[in-house]
């Protein structure tokens, strides 16, 4: 590199680097610092208490239950979403019958793509309002009305969806999958479009049915996309703050009786309701470390040799 080019390149890099340090690195450093103090958030004074906040986290039953709830979503939400999105993308792109026009999706696939992608354009507020009606706990909720109409539920004892400690996490899982599967269906469809049609046509000539075609052609060739989707969905499973706050009972969400508490909800309530910003910062640091470990582990587990085609 010529010596004259160095000042020119540095001139472009200085401003972005300074902004990145101020707005990205600095908040992380401050959060780490406050996690070792008893800062209340409204004063300029804080006392250094070492790892006291982190010790309290392991003694807090509500926080530990929130970790388990996040783990529940972390295991099931990416698996269910990816499997559904893969199945839909496969059927909409190559799941139709092969004929003289070549391999194509099921009839009406373009309409199905629009319908399935529609939840992705809805804001969280609209999704909350929508599913508050679907999961109403009286006989006028959509699900309860259907179950009562087919005789599976007693009209006098409708299902208490979000009010039931045994059902609330499953309901949240269903909402997360419903709102996310359309985006990943489109993602996998775009990746599937890059696979040469000749590969599917050769498999069809060899007598391969949809099952072997999916597992031996589509799945291996989409593995990199699946790996990235798995990481993104893992981050979504670790959040869920807006949905839990809007859909579950109790102030700030997380009910009933802390049955749907997530780390983000406990963190928010600890900071802004209880005024324990030092402890909340410790939760944030723990969540950040957990997210980084998750990304590293998932990328290593799903790493495969790239298939050229």
């Amino acid at each position: 590199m010529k010596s004259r080019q160095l000042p020119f390149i540095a001139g472009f890099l200085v401003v972005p680097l300074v902004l990145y340090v101020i707005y990205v690195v600095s908040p992380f450093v401050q959060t780490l610092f406050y996690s070792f103090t008893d800062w209340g958030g409204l004063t300029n004074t804080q006392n250094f208490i070492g790892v006291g906040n982190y010790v309290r986290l392991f003694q807090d039953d509500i926080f530990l239950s929130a970790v388990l709830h996040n783990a529940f979503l972390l295991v099931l939400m990416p698996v269910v979403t990816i499997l559904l999105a893969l199945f839909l993308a496969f059927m909409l792109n190559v799941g139709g019958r092969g004929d003289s026009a070549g391999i194509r999706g099921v009839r009406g696939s373009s309409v199905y793509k629009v319908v399935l992608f529609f939840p992705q354009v809805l804001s969280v507020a609209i999704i909350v309002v929508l599913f508050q009606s679907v999961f109403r706990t009286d006989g006028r909720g959509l699900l309860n009305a259907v179950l009562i109409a087919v005789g599976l539920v007693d009209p006098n004892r409708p299902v208490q969806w979000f009010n039931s400690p045994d059902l609330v996490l499953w309901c949240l899982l269903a909402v997360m999958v419903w709102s996310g599967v359309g985006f990943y269906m489109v993602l996998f469809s775009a990746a599937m479009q890059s696979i040469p049609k000749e590969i599917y046509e050769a498999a069809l000539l060899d007598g391969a049915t949809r099952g072997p075609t999916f597992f031996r052609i589509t799945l291996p060739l989409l593995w990199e996309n699946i790996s990235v989707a798995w990481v993104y969905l893992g981050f979504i499973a670790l959040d869920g703050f807006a949905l839990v706050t809007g859909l579950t009972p109790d102030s700030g969400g997380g009910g009933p009786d802390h049955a749907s508490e997530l780390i983000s909800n406990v963190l928010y309530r600890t900071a802004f309701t209880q005024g324990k910003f030092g402890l909340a910062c410790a939760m944030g640091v723990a969540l950040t470390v957990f997210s980084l470990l998750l990304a590293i582990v998932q990328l290593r587990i799903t790493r495969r040799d790239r298939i050229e085609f």
Side-chain angles (χ1 to χ4, degrees):
M1 180 180 299
K2 297 180 179 179
S3 59
R4 294 180 180 178
Q5 293 178 331
L6 186 59
F8 179 77
I9 296 174
F12 281 97
L13 291 178
V14 167
V15 174
L17 281 176
V18 170
L19 292 176
Y20 185 82
V21 169
I22 293 175
Y23 292 107
V24 178
V25 177
S26 173
F28 280 111
V29 175
Q30 291 181 52
T31 301
L32 180 63
F33 170 75
Y34 288 131
S35 71
F36 294 109
T37 70
D38 61 352
W39 185 44
L42 300 177
T43 64
N44 292 325
T45 60
Q46 56 265 323
N47 300 311
F48 183 75
I49 59 173
V51 296
N53 285 327
Y54 293 95
V55 173
R56 289 179 63 183
L57 292 183
F58 289 98
Q59 298 172 343
D60 187 340
D61 293 337
I62 295 176
F63 178 77
L64 294 178
S65 66
V67 173
L68 293 177
H69 298 157
N70 270 115
F72 169 85
L73 295 175
L74 186 61
V75 171
L76 290 182
M77 202 271 276
V79 173
V80 176
T81 303
I82 288 175
L83 288 178
L84 278 176
L86 273 175
F87 171 76
L88 293 171
F90 179 77
M91 294 304 294
L92 296 180
N93 287 278
V94 295
R97 295 176 63 88
D99 52 22
S100 57
I103 298 295
R104 59 187 179 185
V106 295
R107 180 175 299 177
S109 58
S110 57
V111 176
Y112 296 146
K113 286 180 183 177
V114 174
V115 173
L116 291 169
F117 186 74
F118 180 69
Q120 192 61 36
V121 304
L122 300 178
S123 68
V124 176
I126 294 176
I127 293 175
V128 167
V129 173
L130 179 65
F131 279 94
Q132 281 177 339
S133 299
V134 173
F135 288 110
R136 276 184 63 157
T137 53
D138 56 18
R140 290 180 292 179
L142 177 62
L143 281 180
N144 273 334
V146 172
L147 293 174
I148 291 172
V150 298
L152 294 177
V153 170
D154 184 351
N156 297 318
R157 299 180 60 187
V159 181
Q160 301 297 303
W161 302 104
F162 286 120
N163 288 337
S164 168
D166 297 326
L167 295 177
V168 63
L169 277 180
W170 292 99
C171 295
L172 288 171
L173 174 65
V175 176
M176 286 182 169
V177 171
W178 178 87
S179 60
V181 71
F183 172 80
Y184 292 96
M185 181 270 296
V186 171
L187 177 71
F188 295 145
S189 293
M192 216 170 284
Q193 293 292 329
S194 65
I195 301 175
K197 294 292 185 184
E198 291 78 7
I199 298 178
Y200 288 111
E201 291 170 356
L204 186 65
L205 290 174
D206 289 340
T209 57
R210 290 188 179 93
T213 303
F214 175 78
F215 286 106
R216 297 186 179 184
I217 296 178
T218 305
L219 195 59
L221 295 181
L222 294 185
W223 191 256
E224 287 189 359
N225 303 84
I226 295 171
S227 175
V228 174
W230 200 297
V231 174
Y232 286 157
L233 286 166
F235 291 149
I236 295 173
L238 287 176
D239 184 12
F241 174 79
L243 282 179
V244 171
T245 302
L247 287 173
T248 60
D250 293 348
S251 177
D257 195 22
H258 305 291
S260 62
E261 291 278 15
L262 300 182
I263 297 175
S264 54
N265 294 85
V266 180
L267 188 157
Y268 176 83
R269 191 165 51 252
T270 301
F272 297 101
T273 302
Q274 301 173 3
K276 300 175 182 176
F277 275 73
L279 182 60
C281 288
M283 294 179 184
V285 172
L287 183 60
T288 302
V289 172
F290 189 60
S291 300
L292 291 174
L293 291 176
L294 167 71
I296 294 171
V297 170
Q298 284 186 331
L299 288 175
R300 287 190 65 86
I301 290 176
T302 57
R303 186 172 60 183
R304 298 286 190 278
D305 292 333
R306 181 180 176 83
I307 300 175
E308 300 290 344
F309 57 88

